[in-house]
Amino acid sequence: NHRLAWPEEHHAFDNCEVGAGMCCWVDQREGYDDQAANADVCYVDMKASRHSAHVKNGYSIYQGDTQAYCKAWAWKPTGGTVSGAHRGNALFKTAFIDGLQGSGSVEQLPGAPLCGCMDRMPVVTAADCVKVTDAGGKVVVSHEPSQGKAYINAAYIEGSGITIDNSCNFLSEFEALNGDDAHLMHFVNSRVVGDGKCSEATANFLDTKGLKI
């Protein structure tokens, strides 16, 4: 029940400036209750996930013909939020406690990481939500009198009551944290595109390659 570090040294998580992470699984181990898919897969951009794909460039188009189970969580990239300080807890809870241990979820989509910063993950129609709260936390505030400014450093939040909420809506949660950043909102909405929108998302992606469908 303490803060877990975000694995910034790993290629799937480093320089994660979009304020969102996600895990997507396509299979389960035997002996677990069935985890129904919650998302259609639109495409995988292997240039964005080249270290996982082991190729410099490429893409796979699924057009919604393949399903996955995805979960995502959000934070404010500029810092100062509990969700940002505890994004490592959200990752651990999602990938290991709920995913591997809880439901036996395994196997990522080819060319993509199993979990990662959202800009390296497949483009999908939906994702369940993970939200971190810390009722017993405290924040260290530093003050620079010469500049008349105070700084909240969420990296020093100490949690005694960390909880994970799986009932939130991911896009709503992301908007609550980052709705003032139109660029981030547009980007995340282009990654979790909504039901029935795979064709549009894929067409927009292929258009950047000079291709039509």
Side-chain angles (χ1 to χ4, degrees):
N1 200 22
H2 60 279
R3 189 175 71 88
L4 300 177
W6 183 254
E8 295 180 358
E9 296 80 12
H10 192 279
H11 58 76
F13 303 98
D14 64 341
N15 301 313
C16 190
E17 299 176 354
V18 300
M22 185 163 69
C23 296
C24 287
W25 302 268
V26 295
D27 204 354
Q28 281 183 282
R29 291 177 171 173
E30 293 183 2
Y32 289 85
D33 292 338
D34 182 52
Q35 177 67 74
N38 65 349
D40 293 333
V41 181
C42 306
Y43 66 87
V44 173
D45 180 3
M46 296 182 197
K47 183 177 181 180
S49 59
R50 59 190 179 276
H51 295 295
S52 296
H54 304 293
V55 295
K56 290 184 178 180
N57 206 343
Y59 51 87
S60 295
I61 304 299
Y62 291 93
Q63 281 282 65
D65 292 335
T66 296
Q67 286 73 48
Y69 179 72
C70 300
K71 296 183 80 167
W73 57 99
W75 65 90
K76 196 170 183 66
T78 53
T81 61
V82 168
S83 56
H86 293 311
R87 62 191 186 276
N89 294 71
L91 170 61
F92 183 76
K93 169 73 169 173
T94 302
F96 295 102
I97 303 300
D98 290 346
L100 183 61
Q101 185 181 58
S103 60
S105 298
V106 292
E107 297 296 333
Q108 69 266 46
L109 284 148
L114 184 69
C115 300
C117 187
M118 187 160 283
D119 60 353
R120 275 144 264 191
M121 295 299 293
V123 171
V124 296
T125 57
D128 284 354
C129 178
V130 180
K131 180 180 179 180
V132 183
T133 58
D134 183 6
K138 60 181 180 180
V139 180
V140 174
V141 179
S142 58
H143 180 241
E144 292 188 12
S146 62
Q147 298 184 21
K149 296 180 179 179
Y151 298 90
I152 299 175
N153 190 342
Y156 289 99
I157 289 180
E158 297 177 3
S160 60
I162 299 170
T163 58
I164 308 290
D165 177 11
N166 291 321
S167 63
C168 54
N169 178 282
F170 168 69
L171 290 176
S172 296
E173 182 64 21
F174 188 88
E175 184 176 11
L177 291 165
N178 298 294
D180 58 343
D181 190 320
H183 174 72
L184 279 183
M185 285 302 307
H186 175 76
F187 179 78
V188 168
N189 278 292
S190 74
R191 309 296 296 185
V192 181
V193 299
D195 291 341
K197 295 184 179 180
C198 257
S199 293
E200 179 183 352
T202 303
N204 290 338
F205 171 70
L206 290 177
D207 190 55
T208 67
K209 309 293 183 183
L211 300 172
K212 301 293 183 182
I213 56 173

